[in-house]
Amino acid sequence: MSVDTATVKKVASLARIAISDADAERLAPELNNIVGWIEQLGEVDTKDVAPMTAVIPNTLRLRADVITEGNQRDAVLANAPQGEHGFFTVPKVVE
């Protein structure tokens, strides 16, 4: 794929970036170099490489999924400034 000045201007327009003709001519070779590097990366054989989400190995520390005490609605609502019919009561925010 080759990037010319018309493509640079089109991409700049889509990104809502104002560039001059001189800037478009200067950026075209740079973008061609970037596209060349991307094409080189596409040629690398990665079939034996496991997908990664980060460059360092990490695992999520999860808490144990245990059943806790339930049916404590009245105790929880005792901490609320206002409660009505077993629910928290909050001020109206939409008129």
Side-chain angles (χ1 to χ4, degrees), residues 12-89:
S13 171
L14 292 172
R16 305 217 187 265
I17 299 172
I19 61 170
S20 66
D21 291 339
D23 287 338
E25 290 178 16
R26 183 181 54 83
L27 289 173
E30 291 183 30
L31 290 176
N32 276 323
N33 288 338
I34 293 170
V35 170
W37 278 103
I38 293 171
E39 288 173 352
Q40 280 184 350
L41 288 174
E43 296 172 1
V44 176
D45 181 22
T46 59
K47 68 177 183 177
D48 295 328
V49 178
M52 300 185 318
T53 56
V55 294
I56 57 172
N58 56 8
T59 56
L60 297 176
R61 294 175 293 201
L62 302 175
R63 64 176 171 82
D65 191 13
V66 295
I67 298 173
T68 59
E69 298 177 25
N71 296 328
Q72 295 189 9
R73 180 177 65 182
D74 294 332
V76 171
L77 285 174
N79 293 324
Q82 288 183 315
E84 189 174 311
H85 306 294
F87 298 100
F88 290 104
T89 304

